Amino acid sequence: MTASRHPPLRHTPLRHGWLAHAFRAPRTLRSKLSDRGSLTQRLQAQHADFKVQLLTRGITRPNRDESQALHLRPASRAYGRDVLLLGGGIARVFAHSVLPRASLRGGWNGITRLGNKPLGEALFTNPRIRRLGLSLRRLDARHPLYRAARRHAGFTARHVWARRSVFCLNGHPLLVTEVFLPAHDAL
């Protein structure tokens, strides 16, 4: 096993409005937000026509709260990927992943070639990948992920709920945020 250039990741104290429990979320979303299983598998089981729509991918600057969660300096660059998870012809989830550039080598290097394939399948089928703590947050127009989700999904809700986790492979982190779109309430 090679030494990592990243400090050991622990469950970082929650900041920037991220919560450890879904007690403030609407009852209809609480179990979905706190479920530690694969959201991809859940959507595939509920929608025979499930698909992933790639929106953006490439080198980007993480949001401030993402940099903090990944222990990156604020001006750091990372690989980012945005997708919509669709079921029943409706955008259900806006998914956003951030991978530090140093993590692009080794086990995570296939992430850049996923295209319209679901990241969730890779994360939950590889036994070497471990998931750290799950955190939740209500997003509104002040948060960049709300604005990105709204731009791509076209919803009018004043706020949406999101959950995020850091996944680790050989000491290298990947942050995944799933924004539950208003259509997701109907699941």
Side-chain angles (χ1 to χ4, degrees), residues 70-124:
L70 290 167
H71 304 288
L72 297 174
R73 289 189 307 270
S76 296
R77 294 230 178 239
Y79 177 81
R81 179 177 183 253
D82 293 336
V83 300
L84 286 175
L85 305 181
L86 299 114
I90 298 169
R92 306 285 177 173
V93 174
F94 172 77
H96 173 76
S97 54
V98 179
L99 182 66
R101 288 176 67 179
S103 294
L104 284 170
R105 295 180 216 95
W108 289 127
N109 64 357
I111 297 295
T112 62
R113 296 185 301 274
L114 280 175
N116 288 326
K117 294 179 187 168
L119 174 60
E121 284 181 5
L123 296 176
F124 288 91

Side-chain angles (χ1 to χ4, degrees), residues 11 29 35 88 93 165 178:
H11 185 61
L29 281 179
D35 182 1
V93 174
S165 293
E178 297 155 325

Side-chain angles (χ1 to χ4, degrees), residues 126-185:
N126 185 339
R128 296 181 306 140
I129 297 173
R130 65 184 176 93
R131 184 182 209 170
L132 301 183
L134 188 64
S135 55
L136 318 163
R137 180 171 178 184
R138 189 175 94 160
L139 305 177
D140 60 28
R142 295 173 292 183
H143 198 281
L145 288 181
Y146 170 93
R147 294 190 301 269
R150 186 172 181 170
R151 183 173 59 251
H152 292 294
F155 58 85
T156 58
R158 295 182 71 183
H159 66 269
V160 290
W161 280 87
R163 70 179 194 175
R164 74 178 187 186
S165 293
V166 174
F167 292 84
C168 284
L169 176 61
N170 299 327
H172 293 281
L174 165 69
L175 178 66
V176 177
T177 305
E178 297 155 325
V179 179
F180 290 69
L181 302 174
H184 204 309
D185 289 341

